[in-house]
Amino acid sequence: MFVQWAAFVLILLYFLLDTFLRKGSSAKLPKTEFDRKTTLMIVLAMGTTVVAAELLSYFGIGRFNAPVIAWSGLALMGVGFLIRVASILQLKEAYTRTLKVEADQQLITSGMYRSI
């Protein structure tokens, strides 16, 4: 049960983090013509996943009796969360939820973006 609650906390932190770490005015502007409602799609996909996981758990479908699987999933979520935090902190004002192309935009080629 702890793993399940920890996963929900990570999902909640994911959304809260995005709101509080965005910097600069362009990161908080409304969507542009380049955006194809990706933020809405991500929110719907994550929400559907959470609801489906709860329903499957409630009905006992797909339940594993191997705690290592649950802990591995939680660890992967944690690693993904940390990568997201690191990327937001590195991009600073260049980070936005919505796809935007700015006239003075620069390509980030250092840190973890050196390999991408």
Side-chain angles (χ1 to χ4, degrees):
M1 187 61 125
F2 171 79
V3 174
Q4 185 176 4
W5 283 105
F8 287 130
V9 167
L10 277 176
I11 292 169
L12 181 62
L13 284 174
Y14 172 87
F15 288 109
L16 290 174
L17 173 87
D18 194 68
T19 301
F20 292 112
L21 287 184
R22 283 185 289 150
K23 307 249 188 258
S25 59
S26 83
K28 297 178 183 181
L29 290 175
K31 64 183 178 179
T32 66
E33 72 274 7
F34 299 106
D35 181 49
R36 294 187 178 152
K37 298 186 181 182
T38 53
T39 301
L40 174 63
M41 296 308 230
I42 290 170
V43 169
L44 288 175
M46 290 187 78
T48 301
T49 302
V50 170
V51 170
E54 278 302 306
L55 287 173
L56 291 171
S57 177
Y58 178 78
F59 291 109
I61 300 170
R63 188 170 293 173
F64 292 100
N65 290 328
V68 69
I69 294 173
W71 284 101
S72 297
L74 185 61
L76 286 172
M77 281 183 73
V79 168
F81 182 76
L82 292 175
I83 290 171
R84 183 165 179 87
V85 170
S87 67
I88 292 171
L89 293 174
Q90 183 175 356
L91 290 174
K92 298 176 185 148
E93 289 84 15
Y95 170 75
T96 63
R97 271 192 309 213
T98 306
L99 178 61
K100 295 179 182 190
V101 178
E102 304 277 339
D104 61 344
Q105 186 172 343
Q106 294 182 346
L107 184 62
I108 308 293
T109 58
S110 61
M112 42 190 222
Y113 292 98
R114 168 180 68 242
S115 304
I116 297 177

